[in-house]
Amino acid sequence: MPGKVKKDASRGLRLNMIVDWLNKKTPYGGVTVKELAEKFEVSERQVYRDLNTIENYLRVPLVRQENGKAVRVRIESGYLPSLSPEKATVIFLSLLQQKGSALSGHLNEIKDALVSTLFKYHYDPKELAVEKLQKRIHIVEETLAEPEKVGGLFAVLVQSIKDSHRVKIWYYTTHSGEETERVVEPYGLICKHQNWYLVGRCRKRNDIRVFRVDQIKDVFPYTGEHFEYPADFTLTGYMASSWGVINDGKVCRVVIKFDKRIAHRVRNVLYHPSQKIEEELPGGSAVVSFEVCGLAEMTGWLLQWGDMVEVLEPQWLREEMRAMAERVARVYRPGQ
């Protein structure tokens, strides 16, 4: 009897490992019975028995396709594998975080479907207390005034990126306060602080531009006008030196002194990949350097720290920060 228990346990482990492997291989067309036999060191006949058990007892829907002598197996589309309570909770909280963003259009439907699937058979609702958990998590984020509308435009942009076709957008330009009409070849999307930005080649400017999605008033997809995605372009490479979402091509070395009151932040948080602590000063302050472009965005970040940061280099940025501080001070002068 002890031998049988060990054998059953060994088979149970193998069944779970097969399901996990099928899950990983399904997006790539699945895996052959022969490959499963070789990977798990059992006969092909045993693999067929295991697949029958997985399908009939574990209730994992499988699709089998014969190609000559080979039989390829994959998990049926729409199957959601079981997750641990920890992973299920992470998914749930991630959905909560998107409330009020461009992704929130169908958020409640998706959340309900996920919660139903993830928790229906595996967990006691009283122990999981999903609703209690939701009430005890408060997300402090900016929210869109019309998330459903922005979400609809966002979906069109995603489809255009997938299919590589041009779009016409009506875009509100902040610095001019005007709405402009552009035809764009969409390369990709960037997300910063839950705000989404479209990156693409603007045919009007014949250059790569970044458009904030919630400032796009409307989108018209030219589904019949496809473009060739540039082979030498990657979003990661394009954004590598950018402080935020703007790449103006002017990489500059910036050196900043962080007061002891906030120096721990740059020790614990990487604000940019190029961030480097140059010197630890007596008393707890720190001198930090960055190699960045798009400094217009960086100045706003620096202002939030008030008198707790000091720009040391370059000189022109130091002077610009001083001028900005003076303009802010004038706003608050008595009698203004």
Side-chain angles (χ1 to χ4, degrees), residues 27 41 51 53 93 97 124 162 178 203 250 296 324 335:
E41 300 180 347
L51 292 175
T53 301
L93 296 181
Q97 193 176 7
D124 182 345
K162 286 171 60 181
E178 298 176 349
R203 290 171 63 82
K250 303 172 184 176
M324 291 176 69

Side-chain angles (χ1 to χ4, degrees), residues 65-122:
Q65 292 178 315
E66 291 190 25
N67 184 10
K69 293 184 179 180
V71 177
R72 184 171 290 274
V73 186
R74 59 180 171 82
I75 293 177
E76 187 177 293
S77 177
Y79 169 74
L80 185 67
S82 60
L83 297 171
S84 67
E86 294 78 15
K87 290 181 180 179
T89 302
V90 168
I91 292 175
F92 184 69
L93 296 181
S94 297
L95 286 171
L96 293 182
Q97 193 176 7
Q98 299 304 319
K99 183 180 180 181
S101 76
L103 303 182
S104 65
H106 302 287
L107 183 61
N108 287 331
E109 295 175 19
I110 297 171
K111 185 183 69 177
D112 290 344
L114 269 174
V115 168
S116 174
T117 304
L118 294 174
F119 307 126
K120 185 175 181 180
Y121 300 112
H122 302 285

Side-chain angles (χ1 to χ4, degrees), residues 31-269:
V31 62
T32 66
V33 170
K34 181 179 179 182
E35 289 169 337
L36 286 171
E38 291 174 351
K39 180 171 180 61
F40 295 102
E41 300 180 347
V42 294
S43 68
E44 290 187 27
R45 181 175 292 183
Q46 181 62 55
V47 170
Y48 280 114
R49 285 197 290 264
D50 288 346
L51 292 175
N52 286 333
T53 301
I54 288 169
E55 198 163 24
N56 297 322
Y57 293 94
L58 299 185
R59 302 296 184 185
V60 178
L62 302 178
V63 176
R64 309 183 195 202
Q65 292 178 315
E66 291 190 25
N67 184 10
K69 293 184 179 180
V71 177
R72 184 171 290 274
V73 186
R74 59 180 171 82
I75 293 177
E76 187 177 293
S77 177
Y79 169 74
L80 185 67
S82 60
L83 297 171
S84 67
E86 294 78 15
K87 290 181 180 179
T89 302
V90 168
I91 292 175
F92 184 69
L93 296 181
S94 297
L95 286 171
L96 293 182
Q97 193 176 7
Q98 299 304 319
K99 183 180 180 181
S101 76
L103 303 182
S104 65
H106 302 287
L107 183 61
N108 287 331
E109 295 175 19
I110 297 171
K111 185 183 69 177
D112 290 344
L114 269 174
V115 168
S116 174
T117 304
L118 294 174
F119 307 126
K120 185 175 181 180
Y121 300 112
H122 302 285
Y123 314 113
D124 182 345
K126 293 181 180 179
E127 292 180 4
L128 185 69
V130 176
E131 295 303 323
K132 181 189 293 185
L133 180 64
Q134 186 170 350
K135 290 177 182 178
R136 295 188 179 186
I137 301 292
H138 180 66
I139 310 295
V140 181
E141 288 284 358
E142 298 174 353
T143 59
L144 295 172
E146 298 180 285
E148 291 81 8
K149 178 184 175 182
V150 177
L153 299 178
F154 185 84
V156 175
L157 294 174
V158 170
Q159 191 63 45
S160 301
I161 290 169
K162 286 171 60 181
D163 296 340
S164 293
H165 60 68
R166 298 186 180 97
V167 293
K168 179 187 283 188
I169 64 172
W170 287 263
Y171 187 69
Y172 177 79
T173 306
T174 303
H175 65 83
S176 67
E178 298 176 349
E179 187 176 299
T180 60
E181 187 177 303
R182 314 281 187 95
V183 176
V184 179
E185 296 177 349
Y187 289 171
L189 290 159
I190 302 168
C191 183
K192 180 184 178 184
H193 302 317
Q194 287 192 231
N195 293 313
W196 287 90
Y197 300 82
L198 172 69
V199 179
R201 178 168 292 277
C202 173
R203 290 171 63 82
K204 182 177 181 180
R205 304 297 183 192
N206 193 30
D207 199 4
I208 297 175
R209 290 288 188 268
V210 178
F211 305 93
R212 182 162 163 153
V213 171
D214 59 288
Q215 290 179 204
I216 297 176
K217 301 304 179 182
D218 204 357
V219 178
F220 180 81
Y222 291 116
T223 55
E225 293 190 18
H226 294 269
F227 65 91
E228 195 71 29
Y229 188 89
D232 60 347
F233 178 85
T234 65
L235 273 179
T236 303
Y238 180 75
M239 300 304 300
S241 298
S242 300
W243 176 258
V245 298
I246 297 174
N247 181 344
D248 55 15
K250 303 172 184 176
V251 179
C252 179
R253 184 172 189 265
V254 179
V255 181
I256 302 168
K257 177 184 176 183
F258 287 81
D259 185 88
K260 64 180 181 180
R261 292 170 288 174
I262 58 162
H264 66 280
R265 296 294 293 274
V266 288
R267 295 188 185 104
N268 298 331
V269 180

